[in-house]
Amino acid sequence: MNQEKTNDMILQTVTKLVSFIILLFSFYLFLSGHNAPGGGFVGGLITSSSIVLLLLAYDLKTVKAILPVNFIYVAGMGLLIAILTGAGAFVFGAPFLSHTFGYFHLPFLGKTELATATLFDLGVYLVVVGVTMTIIQTIGEEE
Amino acid sequence: MNNFVILPILIPLLAAVALIFMNKRIMLTRVFSAAASVLAIVISGILVQTVFTKGVQTLNLGGWKAPYGIVLAADQFASLLVLTTAVIGLLIVLYSYRSIGEKRERSFYYSGVQFLLAGVSGAFLTGDLFNMYVFFELLLIASYMLIVLGGTKIQLRESLKYIVFNIVSSALFVIGVGFLYAVTGTLNMADLSVKISESGQTGLITVIGVLFLIVFGLKGGIFPFYFWLPGSYYAPPTAIAALFGALLTKVGLYAITRVFTLIFIHDTQFTHQLMMWLAALTILFGVIGSIAYSDVMKIVIYNIITAVGVILFGIAVNTPASIQGAIYYLIHDMLIKGALFMLAGTLITLTGTASLHKMSGLIKRYPVLGWMFLISAVSLAGIPPFSGFVGKFKIVEGGFAQGEFVISILVLLSSLLVLYSVLKIFMYAFWGEEKETPNQEKRTAKGLLYPAAVFLLLSLLFGLGTEYVSPYVNQAAETLLNPEKYIEAVLKE
């Protein structure tokens, strides 16, 4: 890079704040997918958008230091979770991909509906984050 | 409810994901992908036997009843093809050990192969039109990755064409599915069949049928839509070309068979007549291509197109004999194309050239390769004790019974020209004086020949053991000819 070093203080300070708000929003969308617009796909995209914002404000090396994960494995992990959630139905003698839910009393939250569909969504979420970040990082690294 | 039906899809899918994690350890990926393929063969074998004894097996995914949820339906036709796919998968993996090279193996090669196998098995087993589209995309995206893997110049150029044509055909597929959904309000294939027979096949539905013929014709390499195929299959390494040649066009043919024996069956006068003439032209252009070239790979590739035409003709004639013939020929062709691609690839690796005029006299140094090539050539042409005979015989029998003399005779003549094109390779490459090609390596062909030998052995057994295979094929043809059986199994209760 023969580019002059610029001072991105405003961008970087705002990013520090905003990326957490985006992360929180993506988490909210991920959880609300069952009864409201949202879900694993859009949640994953918004999570990766917050990481992309970090990439814009800092650089590839810094972000790799903050998030030392291989995103290809993140995508693989997501696929594995999604498939195993489907295959978990085998154990209960139900058809592949059968989902179930139940009501539980959780501390702080009270009576909550927990569904195995969320686990499948978690898989989708991880695949989306993994794939998006792999694409962006690979293109970013190419000279 | 029978969870067994999902296993032929689930095993390669899980293997593909697991292979992502063990990517860096080549020996482990080799052993693991071979083990997964062996397991897939065993499972598909059991599936074939289950369908044989108990009839069509179905699985409502997620426990939702048939027209509302996605249903997987394994009739004998689909099961036989799934078994063939699993066998091809294993042999391709074994052939890749020696031929594909470590650089590609490190780049998620085996993972891509298993994803492709999962997509192909899924496309065979699904009972839902949109789900079939999704499995098509799974196998296509895996094939995009495999065709470009390695990044040589020719691969980059041809993969661009391949991807563009397949994206266009996928878009047409979605448009077709959209039209059909707008007209009938359902996507489950059995339910579609019921709805269309209730309302009658109007002109609109026939138009959609022709649109599907175009879509699957683009995937399967039928006459006006095969133009992408010769270039695309020429680009990737042999193992991948063999995988494509043995599986991908056959998925298009399977989809045509399924759609035109289950859904669009009430106005056969127009659609099947159209398919017949397209089949004739496909055969014609296939043999012209295979005679014209003196490049080993190109000859084998154009023989795929000829075979696609022959099978399409069998489906279009739509009599018990011709449908049985088409099934025999489909399975035979998957096996023999695998063998031919591997033998042609081995020939190219050994001589360092693909041009027939630069090689000769190889029979002295590589007698096994030579004789194997001869057997696969006569088997491809359909000489009686070998596997290509029964299928073509039945197709022609059905054609004559329906009064389609011109095209049936064309099928017979095409055998002659196919034999000529492959024997041309044999005579140029194996007979004559030994001649040094500039970059010929004096290496043995041993490791490369085992998978092709297994292919040939299976093809031989398939030809000699027609007695044992015929009950299965008859059952498959019976379900295709009587869609009520399929519909009843899917929409029961």
Side-chain angles (χ1 to χ4, degrees), chain B residues 118-136:
Chain B
V120 172
S121 309
F124 287 148
L125 287 176
T126 184
D128 180 287
L129 215 48
F130 191 76
N131 200 233
M132 184 188 262
Y133 166 77
V134 174
F135 279 120
F136 263 92

Side-chain angles (χ1 to χ4, degrees), chain B residues 51 75-82 253-254 257-258 326-327 330 472 475-477 479-480:
Chain B
V51 174
D75 63 345
Q76 191 59 268
F77 184 41
S79 313
L80 283 175
L81 291 180
V82 166
L253 275 175
Y254 167 84
T257 316
R258 181 60 79 207
I327 298 168
L330 190 60
Y472 296 90
Q475 192 197 19
T479 321
L480 286 182

Side-chain angles (χ1 to χ4, degrees), chain A residues 90, chain B residues 3-12 43:
Chain A
F90 285 2
Chain B
N3 267 326
F4 208 77
V5 182
I6 189 91
L7 288 180
I9 309 172
L10 205 59
I11 291 167
I43 295 285

Side-chain angles (χ1 to χ4, degrees), chain B residues 34 64 71 92 198 225 258 265 363 372 378 397 403 406 419 422 492:
Chain B
W64 300 97
V71 59
I92 296 288
E198 274 169 5
F225 313 113
R258 181 60 79 207
I265 47 174
I363 195 84
M372 276 168 69
V378 292
E397 187 194 334
V406 181
L419 184 64
V422 201
K492 65 192 162 222

Side-chain angles (χ1 to χ4, degrees), chain B residues 5 40 68 162 166-167 187-188 191-192 216 230 233 271 343 416:
Chain B
V5 182
Y68 308 110
Y162 178 76
N166 275 303
I167 285 178
L187 286 178
N188 181 294
D191 198 34
L192 270 173
F216 298 138
Y233 283 18
T271 48
L343 292 173
L416 209 61

